[in-house]
Amino acid sequence: MDDSTYQVRMLGTYMLGQLSAVRPDSLEILETKVAHDPNWRVQEMLAKAFDSYCRCIGYEQSLPKIEKWLSDPNPNVKRAVIEGLRIWTGRPYFKDHPKIAIECISRYRSEDSEYLRKSVGNALRDISKKYPNEIAEELSTWNLQDKKTLFTYKLAKGKQK
């Protein structure tokens, strides 16, 4: 998608997301090309496109693809999963398996990409509204001496009342 206007690239990303469950090449384009787009709006649409794929084939059936995208070296691909499935525990399968969602998200707490770490912290904070004990348990295991982890921890913890 080489169009110079981000709106056209967003539309293309949306369309690829709609096709991705029936056209594997669409999902591949999202992962290998769209994930390199420099525009944050296109990246937001990538997250929505990935969720569209997961919703169409089922979140549990999507686990192998979720894991594949989470292991991609490009932080935009990882972020597309973390943001796309927010709020994870509002999605089928993860609603019944919140610890799987928490584990999938938490492993990226100390990534180099601040953009990705913000998504991790925000996603965990979202989950903590319904699963505060599970998030507290996870956060208690983190090494807060690591500055990147501490950054994510503060986001996940949110404002204390």
Side-chain angles (χ1 to χ4, degrees):
M1 294 195 312
D2 297 323
D3 195 280
S4 62
T5 58
Y6 75 85
Q7 295 94 335
V8 171
R9 297 190 319 272
M10 285 178 68
L11 178 60
T13 301
Y14 170 81
M15 292 170 58
L16 288 167
Q18 296 301 302
L19 292 170
S20 62
V22 294
R23 295 283 313 260
D25 56 330
S26 296
L27 193 63
E28 184 179 340
I29 292 168
L30 290 169
E31 181 182 10
T32 61
K33 298 211 184 298
V34 175
H36 294 282
D37 193 292
N39 189 285
W40 68 269
R41 293 171 189 92
V42 175
Q43 293 306 315
E44 291 298 315
M45 191 56 68
L46 174 61
K48 292 178 187 311
F50 187 77
D51 183 53
S52 177
Y53 166 80
C54 294
R55 184 177 52 255
C56 286
I57 72 163
Y59 291 92
E60 184 174 8
Q61 292 75 16
S62 298
L63 284 172
K65 195 60 73 176
I66 289 169
E67 289 295 339
K68 179 183 183 294
W69 277 43
L70 285 173
S71 67
D72 194 284
N74 183 342
N76 288 340
V77 176
K78 294 174 191 167
R79 186 183 175 282
V81 176
I82 292 169
E83 281 297 317
L85 302 185
R86 274 180 68 188
I87 296 175
W88 282 57
T89 52
R91 304 286 194 247
Y93 181 73
F94 294 113
K95 189 181 295 185
D96 297 328
H97 302 90
K99 288 189 177 194
I100 292 174
I102 293 166
E103 193 280 325
C104 284
I105 298 166
S106 294
R107 72 177 89 133
Y108 301 99
R109 64 184 169 262
S110 60
E111 287 284 310
D112 287 335
S113 168
E114 184 176 304
Y115 191 49
L116 176 57
R117 285 184 280 126
K118 282 182 180 179
S119 289
V120 169
N122 291 335
L124 293 173
R125 186 179 62 242
D126 289 347
I127 292 171
S128 75
K129 293 173 184 165
K130 286 192 177 180
Y131 300 96
N133 295 336
E134 288 83 349
I135 294 296
E137 182 181 324
E138 172 62 33
L139 295 179
S140 73
T141 68
W142 290 12
N143 173 12
L144 301 182
Q145 300 304 308
D146 179 86
K147 289 181 181 183
K148 293 174 187 168
T149 301
L150 179 60
F151 173 90
T152 309
Y153 175 88
K154 288 178 179 178
L155 290 171
K157 199 77 167 140
K159 301 216 189 301
Q160 298 298 313
K161 296 181 181 178

